[in-house]
């Protein structure tokens, strides 16, 4: 299962990602604030390089929060995307990047438990 997480801090009333990490095809990756001009866009490149399929499904624990940060960055870069939402809930985001489709899905809507408890099932710490 491919997973992805954003860690953030707040500065001057703005939420800023300082770390993007994930596991794609059992390969762990992480990018920290300052290592790249845009760590979210860099993470999309890594996803495309680590997964050789044309359609990549990646699970995010809280897509409503992380998804809005991702949408904000891909919109700035004019990267095409499609969202599936209902009311105020994001169910998935399809991002069309590097000749691939990356689908971010909300894991919490599938398995409603915290990342800490979910990690315990896999003997993994957040």
């Amino acid at each position: 299962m491919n997973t992805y997480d954003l860690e953030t801090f707040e500065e001057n009333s703005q939420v800023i990602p300082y770390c993007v990490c994930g596991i794609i095809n059992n390969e762990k990756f992480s990018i920290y604030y300052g290592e790249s001009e845009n760590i979210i866009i860099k993470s999309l490149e890594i996803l495309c390089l680590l997964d050789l399929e044309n359609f990549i499904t990646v699970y995010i624990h809280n897509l409503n929060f992380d998804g809005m940060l991702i949408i904000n960055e891909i919109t700035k870069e004019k990267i095409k995307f499609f969202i599936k939402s209902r009311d105020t809930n994001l169910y998935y985001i399809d991002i069309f990047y590097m000749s691939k489709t990356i689908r971010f899905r909300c894991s919490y809507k599938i398995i409603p438990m915290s990342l800490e408890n979910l990690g315990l099932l896999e003997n993994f710490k957040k």
Side-chain angles (χ1 to χ4, degrees), residues 96-113:
F96 309 102
Y97 189 67
M98 292 178 63
S99 302
K100 297 187 180 198
T101 301
I102 303 166
R103 175 169 283 177
F104 285 111
R105 294 199 57 150
C106 187
S107 67
Y108 188 76
K109 289 175 181 66
I110 298 167
I111 305 170
M113 60 181 13

Side-chain angles (χ1 to χ4, degrees), residues 17-32:
Y18 72 84
C19 178
V20 178
C21 57
I23 302 172
I24 306 299
N25 289 333
N26 296 317
E27 295 285 332
K28 294 179 184 178
F29 76 90
S30 59
I31 309 165
Y32 292 90

Side-chain angles (χ1 to χ4, degrees), residues 5-111:
D5 192 29
L6 284 167
E7 297 299 330
T8 63
F9 66 92
E10 189 173 331
E11 184 176 271
N12 299 325
S13 300
Q14 287 190 322
V15 176
I16 300 170
Y18 72 84
C19 178
V20 178
C21 57
I23 302 172
I24 306 299
N25 289 333
N26 296 317
E27 295 285 332
K28 294 179 184 178
F29 76 90
S30 59
I31 309 165
Y32 292 90
Y33 184 79
E35 290 181 1
S36 178
E37 186 175 320
N38 187 320
I39 62 174
I40 291 175
I41 301 303
K42 182 66 177 176
S43 72
L44 297 179
E45 292 172 17
I46 291 171
L47 292 176
C48 289
L49 294 173
L50 289 177
D51 196 309
L52 302 177
E53 301 295 322
N54 289 328
F55 188 91
I56 306 162
T57 301
V58 182
Y59 292 91
I60 295 179
H61 179 66
N62 184 355
L63 189 61
N64 284 345
F65 181 79
D66 291 355
M68 294 312 295
L69 295 170
I70 293 167
I71 289 169
N72 185 50
E73 294 305 318
I74 63 177
T75 301
K76 289 178 192 174
E77 298 295 321
K78 298 181 175 44
I79 297 170
K80 292 182 182 182
F81 68 96
F82 172 81
I83 61 170
K84 175 66 175 175
S85 64
R86 183 171 184 198
D87 300 324
T88 59
N89 288 301
L90 282 176
Y91 287 91
Y92 66 82
I93 304 168
D94 285 345
I95 300 172
F96 309 102
Y97 189 67
M98 292 178 63
S99 302
K100 297 187 180 198
T101 301
I102 303 166
R103 175 169 283 177
F104 285 111
R105 294 199 57 150
C106 187
S107 67
Y108 188 76
K109 289 175 181 66
I110 298 167
I111 305 170

